[in-house]
């Protein structure tokens, strides 16, 4: 079976727009920049270049962020503000309006895809042939990295012996596409998982069973030939969905306009092969209170709480006896970018190493490196050595008169190693699902001659709490030996497979082939007539 698919360009739409405040101390000849960014130490290097100043004369502090999702993984307001303060020797502030943020800053890549898959009669996947064309806008940005990760995840978390992938990055007259939560994986998953659901229908095999039959395991090879050497329990996630109340209801459903859908997904952790991926953490103790200095940013993913809990556990003390100083280039060491679902893993490993050294009385710092894939690829960031896995299921109802879709229930089962904070994990899953519901039902950057037409919150429509059903978060009881206390990254994987799960549920009710994001009500209505 084969099909062409399209996924739209899509904005991160964080609560807080990009902003920065800079102050130049003429007495100390030092610039202090407060910025909403995910990469304080990289911005530190950038500013030193732009201003031609020694790095010791620049300080960057990142306050509590109102979300990022990749949209602050780069330079937006920081350089302009710092340059103005440097030139005028006066405090300067720049806050993007919502219109400026929507119209000019980073987006998720729109992708045209063609996918062809081969199956045996028993549902065994034997071949995958996929091509993708990514719209990166007028500048490269992180486009090459997104292209790599899109390619790496395109064939899904399955054991397929014959794989061909051809991916292309295209320059267009639009604002730059860049990092966004999922980093290329949701686009490919929409196409591939939609075809798998169609194959299960044609072959008369349960859609969960066909995924379980082909699901990847430790020791198997991924779509680009990378061996799974870490802990893998994608099948455990599928089992949790199978046992869920939502999926059990499916057996007894009698409403012809209620549909159930499932999709699988995976997402890499870390920056990938051939890219330096380290972190260094410092610890200090005074009067029985421990302070951890860590150069990462909590952008709402809950890394501060998780890392604080891990530190308290390792130090055998109360949670309140530990505090974290994060994202301050004068006080913290370089831990790299807060991206790639790497923060808790790399920061946690470096922190535990620092605590171990501190206990031995050797030193007050500790370092960590993210594991690299052993495969001999020369592409930067390609492939990764570790992945998080997810299975997501949807129950919905299609109105037979209007074609409107009402979501009734969602369940997500995640395999992310050991879960340190189940409540924060549930928040990540629910947030990612909410974002992806917008991806499926209306969030779509529309352009004319390269300019964004829907550049306000009244025209760029996002789902609200009223549009979302119960979202159940389940997790596999796993343990990743290379992670701190068994942890893997988990912040992004929840965005990967909700759109194809929704499409599969709609296709249980309507014959309309949903091949473009966002979904089209007319296609659903025409499919209902069939």
């Amino acid at each position: 079976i084969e099909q062409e698919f399209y996924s739209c360009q899509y904005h991160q739409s964080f609560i807080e727009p990009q902003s920065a405040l800079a102050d130049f101390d003429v007495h100390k000849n030092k610039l202090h920049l407060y910025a909403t960014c995910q990469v304080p130490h990289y911005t530190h290097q950038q500013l030193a270049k732009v201003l031609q100043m020694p790095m010791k004369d620049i300080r960057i502090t990142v306050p509590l962020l109102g979300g990022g999702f990749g949209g602050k993984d780069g330079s937006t307001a920081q350089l302009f503000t710092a340059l103005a303060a440097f030139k005028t020797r006066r405090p300067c502030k720049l806050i993007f309006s919502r219109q400026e943020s929507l119209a000019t800053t980073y987006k998720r890549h729109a992708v045209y895809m063609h996918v062809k898959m081969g199956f045996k009669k028993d549902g065994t996947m034997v071949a995958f042939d996929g091509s993708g064309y990514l719209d990166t806008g007028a500048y490269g940005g992180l486009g090459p990295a997104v292209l790599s990760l899109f390619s790496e995840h395109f064939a899904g978390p399955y054991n397929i012996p014959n794989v061909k992938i051809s991916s292309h990055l295209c320059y267009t007259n639009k604002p730059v596409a860049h990092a966004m939560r999922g980093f290329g994986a949701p686009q490919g998953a929409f196409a591939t998982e939609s075809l798998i659901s169609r194959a299960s229908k044609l072959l008369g095999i349960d859609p969960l069973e066909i995924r379980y039959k082909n699901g990847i395991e430790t020791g198997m090879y991924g779509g680009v030939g990378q061996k799974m050497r870490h802990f893998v329990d994608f099948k455990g996630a599928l089992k949790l969905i199978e046992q869920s109340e939502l999926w059990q209801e499916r057996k007894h459903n009698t409403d012809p306009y209620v549909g159930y859908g499932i999709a699988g997904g995976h997402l890499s952790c870390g920056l990938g092969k051939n890219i330096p991926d380290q972190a260094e953490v410092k610890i200090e103790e005074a009067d029985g209170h421990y302070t951890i200095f860590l150069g990462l940013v909590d952008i709402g993913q809950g890394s501060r709480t998780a890392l604080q809990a891990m530190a308290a556990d390792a130090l055998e003390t109360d949670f309140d006896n530990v505090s974290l100083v994060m994202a301050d280039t004068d006080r913290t060491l370089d831990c790299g970018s807060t991206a790639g679902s790497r923060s808790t893993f790399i920061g946690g490993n470096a922190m535990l190493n620092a605590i171990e050294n501190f206990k031995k009385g050797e030193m007050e710092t500790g370092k960590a490196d993210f594991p690299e894939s052993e495969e001999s690829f020369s592409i930067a960031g390609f492939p990764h050595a570790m992945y998080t896995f997810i299975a997501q299921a949807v129950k919905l109802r299609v109105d037979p008169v209007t074609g409107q879709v009402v979501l009734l229930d969602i369940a997500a089962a995640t395999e992310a190693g050991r879960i340190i904070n189940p409540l924060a994990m549930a928040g990540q899953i629910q947030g990612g699902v909410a974002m992806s519901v917008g991806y499926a039902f209306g969030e779509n950057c529309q352009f004319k001659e390269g300019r964004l037409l829907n550049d306000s919150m009244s025209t760029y429509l996002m789902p609200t709490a009223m549009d979302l059903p119960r979202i159940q978060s389940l997790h596999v009881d796993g343990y990743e030996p290379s992670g701190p206390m068994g942890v893997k990254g988990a912040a992004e994987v929840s965005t990967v497979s909700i759109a194809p799960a929704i499409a599969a549920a709609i296709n249980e009710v309507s014959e309309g082939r949903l091949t473009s994001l966002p979904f089209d009500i007319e296609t659903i209505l025409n499919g209902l007539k069939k």
Side-chain angles (χ1 to χ4, degrees), residues 1-3 5 115-119 123-128 153-160 188-215 234 238 262-265 500 504 507:
I1 52 173
E2 62 183 308
Q3 184 71 52
F5 294 88
V115 180
K116 185 176 183 179
M117 295 184 74
F119 297 81
T124 302
M125 299 178 190
V126 292
F128 178 93
H153 292 75
F154 201 3
Y158 304 103
N159 181 37
I160 308 175
F190 169 56
T192 302
E193 292 293 323
S194 293
L195 275 195
I196 294 170
S197 293
R198 193 180 305 164
S200 75
K201 209 171 183 179
L202 292 169
L203 294 167
I205 300 172
D206 182 88
L208 192 149
E209 180 58 35
I210 199 170
R211 289 172 170 87
Y212 192 89
K213 182 181 185 66
N214 295 282
F234 173 51
L238 289 167
I262 186 171
N507 284 147

Side-chain angles (χ1 to χ4, degrees), residues 408-422:
L408 302 175
D409 200 4
I410 292 174
T414 313
E415 188 279 279
R418 184 185 177 202
I419 308 303
I420 297 292
N421 185 337

Side-chain angles (χ1 to χ4, degrees), residues 279-330:
E280 189 171 5
V281 171
K282 184 172 67 173
I283 178 172
E284 290 180 0
E285 185 267 336
D287 300 323
H289 188 88
Y290 301 91
T291 304
I292 310 288
F293 298 88
L294 195 140
L296 293 160
V297 185
D298 192 326
I299 52 175
Q301 80 276 41
S303 58
R304 177 182 288 273
T305 307
L307 290 163
Q308 191 173 344
M310 290 161 71
D313 195 61
L315 289 162
E316 299 176 357
T317 188
D318 292 338
F319 186 83
D320 293 337
N321 286 340
V322 178
S323 57
L324 264 64
V325 173
M326 298 180 74
D328 183 335
T329 58
D330 264 16

Side-chain angles (χ1 to χ4, degrees), residues 105-125:
T105 66
Y106 307 135
K107 313 278 190 297
R108 173 176 281 166
H109 286 75
V111 187
Y112 283 99
M113 295 163 281
H114 181 274
V115 180
K116 185 176 183 179
M117 295 184 74
F119 297 81
K120 289 184 178 181
K121 288 181 181 178
D122 67 356
T124 302
M125 299 178 190

Side-chain angles (χ1 to χ4, degrees), residues 238-424:
L238 289 167
K239 276 287 183 190
L240 287 174
I241 291 295
E242 185 179 34
Q243 296 160 6
S244 70
E245 180 187 333
L246 186 159
W247 203 253
Q248 290 297 315
E249 277 182 12
R250 183 171 178 263
K251 299 173 185 175
H252 311 294
N253 175 51
T254 55
D255 188 333
Y257 297 108
V258 170
Y260 296 78
I262 186 171
H266 66 320
L267 196 74
S268 53
C269 305
L271 302 180
K273 192 174 175 67
N274 306 309
I275 297 178
D277 198 349
Q278 297 97 19
E280 189 171 5
V281 171
K282 184 172 67 173
I283 178 172
E284 290 180 0
E285 185 267 336
D287 300 323
H289 188 88
Y290 301 91
T291 304
I292 310 288
F293 298 88
L294 195 140
L296 293 160
V297 185
D298 192 326
I299 52 175
Q301 80 276 41
S303 58
R304 177 182 288 273
T305 307
L307 290 163
Q308 191 173 344
M310 290 161 71
D313 195 61
L315 289 162
E316 299 176 357
T317 188
D318 292 338
F319 186 83
D320 293 337
N321 286 340
V322 178
S323 57
L324 264 64
V325 173
M326 298 180 74
D328 183 335
T329 58
D330 264 16
R331 304 180 71 193
T332 64
L333 301 166
D334 191 355
C335 288
S337 173
T338 303
S341 298
R342 68 186 288 274
S343 296
T344 306
F345 185 100
I346 193 78
N349 271 340
M351 181 183 70
L352 294 181
N353 182 239
I355 291 170
E356 188 180 336
N357 293 337
F358 177 81
K359 282 181 172 180
K360 291 176 183 175
E362 294 176 354
M363 59 181 76
E364 295 181 336
T365 59
K367 295 182 179 181
D369 291 273
F370 216 102
E372 273 209 355
S373 170
E374 295 179 21
E375 276 63 50
S376 57
F377 290 89
S378 60
I379 301 169
F382 187 88
H384 291 73
M386 185 186 306
Y387 302 84
T388 296
F389 297 86
I390 197 164
Q392 293 172 300
V394 171
K395 175 187 176 184
L396 52 78
R397 191 175 193 280
V398 181
D399 188 300
V401 177
T402 65
Q404 183 183 4
V405 178
V406 178
L407 298 173
L408 302 175
D409 200 4
I410 292 174
T414 313
E415 188 279 279
R418 184 185 177 202
I419 308 303
I420 297 292
N421 185 337
L423 186 63

